[in-house]
Amino acid sequence: MLELIILCAAGFAAGALNAVAGGGTFISFPALVWIGVPPIMANATATLTAIPGYAGSAWAFRHDMQAEGAVSLRAMLAIAALGGLIGAFLLTITSEAAFVGLVPWLLLLATGVFAAGPKILQMLKGRGLGIWGGSAALMAVSIYGGYFNGGLGIMLLAAFGVMGFQNLHGMNGLKNLMSALLSIVSATALAVAGLIAWKSALVLALATTAGGYFGAAYARKITNMKLLRAAIVAVGLAMTLLFFLK
């Protein structure tokens, strides 16, 4: 019962955070590890269960989405799918010991990028890379997302900033659409490899869907985004410290 409560609470919080500002994996991934799911399997399961939240949030922003810059929307989605597949492949050939060693550094990287997100976007906004530079940035982030889902949202937003995107609502919608697509591809490959904890995944997916719907519905009503971001960063740093000490 305790595990069920933890998964429901973590899933709802993760879905809501992914819809509003990103960082949901900072909660869902450690929750899975805490209840005893091996780290690589926990990472794969967290990626799978984030999909409904991503999809629900993308639907909420569907009228705002449009491609900006030199890379077309179709090309961006193709890059996301290919990058997600490459990332998943890299995860399947990573040993459990190596991944355990990488986890705190990945969490630290994701937390750092998340914390610096606004400054990164401010520095990069409007500079606009060309088609090859933009495609390379998206590919790098998509591979990262296929390998480790933590911090994917803000990294995609940063990539959009490099590409010259201006419409924040459109960026949020596209971020969730691309996150959903690359996570579907990645999770499918990881499921074929037998790396999904299905019982935990079902509970977490339902809770994440509810959280994603709630977060998307209230995203535009939140006024103090700095406080929300600080709270997510605090959670990310705490989880990073715990994994370093583990």
Side-chain angles (χ1 to χ4, degrees):
M1 182 59 69
L2 178 60
E3 291 183 4
L4 181 63
I5 293 172
I6 290 172
L7 288 176
C8 287
F12 187 88
L17 288 179
N18 280 334
V20 175
T25 307
F26 292 154
I27 296 176
S28 59
F29 171 69
L32 286 163
V33 174
W34 191 86
I35 66 171
V37 179
I40 288 182
M41 186 171 283
N43 177 51
T45 304
T47 298
L48 173 66
T49 56
I51 293 171
Y54 288 144
S57 301
W59 178 257
F61 284 103
R62 65 191 181 280
H63 298 302
D64 299 302
M65 281 188 283
Q66 59 180 348
E68 300 179 57
V71 186
S72 69
L73 180 59
R74 183 174 297 180
M76 292 172 69
L77 295 177
I79 290 169
L82 179 59
L85 185 62
I86 294 172
F89 171 74
L90 292 175
L91 183 63
T92 61
I93 61 174
T94 302
S95 68
E96 193 77 45
F99 185 75
V100 169
L102 279 173
V103 163
W105 295 103
L106 291 170
L107 285 171
L108 183 61
L109 171 64
T111 303
V113 173
F114 188 89
K119 290 185 178 180
I120 292 173
L121 292 178
Q122 187 177 8
M123 287 188 299
L124 299 176
K125 190 175 181 179
R127 295 191 179 182
L129 294 178
I131 185 169
W132 295 111
S135 297
L138 282 180
M139 178 61 75
V141 174
S142 297
I143 292 173
Y144 169 89
Y147 187 85
F148 186 71
N149 210 254
L152 173 60
I154 191 59
M155 290 186 176
L156 280 172
L157 287 177
F160 295 156
V162 173
M163 297 167 66
F165 277 58
Q166 302 288 335
N167 180 0
L168 184 57
H169 289 316
M171 291 166 71
N172 268 324
L174 192 55
K175 170 202 75 176
N176 287 310
L177 178 61
M178 291 188 65
S179 295
L181 179 58
L182 75 87
S183 295
I184 288 171
V185 173
S186 174
T188 300
L190 296 172
V192 171
L195 293 175
I196 304 294
W198 288 106
K199 291 183 179 179
S200 298
L202 177 60
V203 176
L204 203 57
L206 292 174
T208 302
T209 302
Y213 181 83
F214 174 86
Y218 288 91
R220 301 188 189 193
K221 298 181 181 181
I222 296 176
T223 57
N224 196 340
M225 292 298 292
K226 289 185 179 179
L227 181 60
L228 176 62
R229 182 174 293 276
I232 297 172
V233 169
V235 172
L237 288 174
M239 296 304 172
T240 300
L241 181 60
L242 287 174
F243 275 96
F244 267 120
L245 295 175
K246 188 173 181 180

